[in-house]
């Protein structure tokens, strides 16, 4: 027969473990240094609030290793601080859907093809597809689109594809020294003589000598 329930026989349904009491004397097992040891950074207050990747002041591993080359803009993938990525799904793995079903990121999670919907989904063309499906994903390759349409399905994108920006090539500026060089090469032309210009002194004397002979 079970014992009568009273205040002296009360027990928890599950045994509880006593909490660790530190700094309560050497006899407690966690006295004096309270389990932190003697001196050092980790014996100080607040030492266990170090950020991830902190290595005590030495050069951390993420700064010692080399980095990938390339742009670090928001559109760069997968390089840079704004790196983006997509979850690849091949058309060959869509056979587990019924004919005429709608394929979305949520349905891919239900079928176990996708872990979660936080990452964009891109459909790739590896494998064969024989079912007519309505597919709604963030991106799709040209091969995958061709196979889906051949099977009678349709594709609609949840995100508009990015248009690649074309680099504008700077036009060469005309050389400013070219006109000056052409002007220097052309020979100087003699200035036109005015009709009413005064004759030189030698010519004037010859004209006076010829005048009495004609008379």
């Amino acid at each position: 027969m079970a014992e009568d329930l009273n205040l002296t026989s009360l027990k928890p349904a599950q045994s509880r473990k006593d909490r660790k009491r530190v700094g309560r004397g050497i006899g407690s097992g966690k006295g004096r240094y309270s389990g932190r040891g003697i001196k050092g950074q980790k014996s100080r207050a607040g030492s266990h609030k170090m950020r991830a990747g902190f290595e005590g002041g030495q050069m951390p591993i993420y700064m010692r290793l080399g980095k990938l080359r390339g742009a670090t803009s928001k559109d760069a993938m997968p390089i840079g601080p704004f790196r983006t990525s997509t979850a690849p799904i091949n058309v060959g793995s869509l056979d587990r859907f019924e004919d005429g079903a709608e394929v979305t990121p949520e349905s891919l999670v239900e079928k176990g093809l996708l872990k979660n919907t936080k990452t964009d989904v891109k459909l790739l063309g590896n494998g064969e597809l024989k079912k007519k499906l309505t597919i709604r994903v963030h991106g799709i390759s040209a091969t995958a689109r061709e196979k889906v349409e051949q099977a009678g399905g349709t594709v609609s994108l949840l995100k508009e594809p990015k248009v690649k920006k074309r680099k504008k090539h700077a036009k060469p500026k005309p050389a400013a020294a070219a006109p000056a060089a052409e002007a220097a090469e052309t020979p100087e032309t003699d200035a036109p003589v005015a009709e009413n210009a005064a004759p030189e002194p030698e010519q004037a004397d010859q004209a006076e000598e010829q005048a009495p002979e004609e008379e």
Side-chain angles (χ1 to χ4, degrees):
M1 185 176 177
E3 297 180 1
D4 294 336
L5 185 64
N6 53 45
L7 294 176
T8 59
S9 63
L10 286 177
K11 294 181 180 180
Q14 186 176 0
S15 61
R16 294 180 297 178
K17 185 178 180 181
D18 293 338
R19 66 184 181 88
K20 181 172 63 174
R21 301 177 75 239
V22 298
R24 294 296 186 271
I26 299 175
S28 66
K30 292 292 180 183
R32 185 175 292 181
Y33 303 115
S34 302
R36 293 193 176 196
I38 305 175
K39 299 183 181 179
Q41 183 179 11
K42 290 188 177 180
S43 69
R44 316 299 183 188
S47 62
H48 294 79
K49 297 180 181 180
M50 293 177 289
R51 58 176 173 79
F54 182 69
E55 298 183 14
Q58 73 174 16
M59 188 66 66
I61 185 67
Y62 63 86
M63 295 182 69
R64 296 198 299 268
L65 297 178
K67 308 300 186 298
L68 294 174
R69 300 297 184 265
T72 56
S73 65
K74 198 171 185 178
D75 297 334
M77 189 276 288
I79 306 171
F82 302 101
R83 66 178 60 191
T84 57
S85 60
T86 56
I89 302 293
N90 288 298
V91 294
S93 59
L94 300 180
D95 287 336
R96 62 185 68 186
F97 287 93
E98 298 179 359
D99 194 7
E102 183 179 5
V103 179
T104 60
E106 290 77 11
S107 63
L108 290 171
V109 173
E110 293 176 1
K111 294 291 184 179
L113 295 174
L114 192 64
K115 186 177 181 180
N116 52 50
T117 58
K118 295 180 181 179
T119 309
D120 294 350
V121 180
K122 184 172 183 179
L123 190 64
L124 304 179
N126 190 12
E128 298 296 332
L129 181 64
K130 299 179 180 179
K131 294 182 179 179
K132 180 180 179 181
L133 301 173
T134 302
I135 299 175
R136 295 181 180 177
V137 291
H138 299 89
I140 186 171
S141 65
T143 306
R145 181 185 290 274
E146 183 180 354
K147 290 184 178 181
V148 171
E149 292 177 352
Q150 284 180 356
T154 57
V155 178
S156 59
L157 297 180
L158 299 175
K159 183 184 292 186
E160 296 182 0
K162 294 182 179 179
V163 180
K164 292 184 179 180
K165 299 177 181 179
R166 295 183 178 180
K167 294 183 179 180
K168 296 181 179 179
H169 297 284
K171 296 181 179 179
K173 296 182 179 180
E182 293 178 0
E185 291 177 359
T186 54
E188 296 181 358
T189 56
D190 297 335
V193 180
E195 295 180 357
N196 299 330
E200 294 181 359
E202 295 180 356
Q203 295 179 355
D205 296 341
Q206 293 177 0
E208 292 177 357
E209 291 178 356
Q210 292 177 357
E213 294 178 357
E214 291 177 358
E215 294 176 354

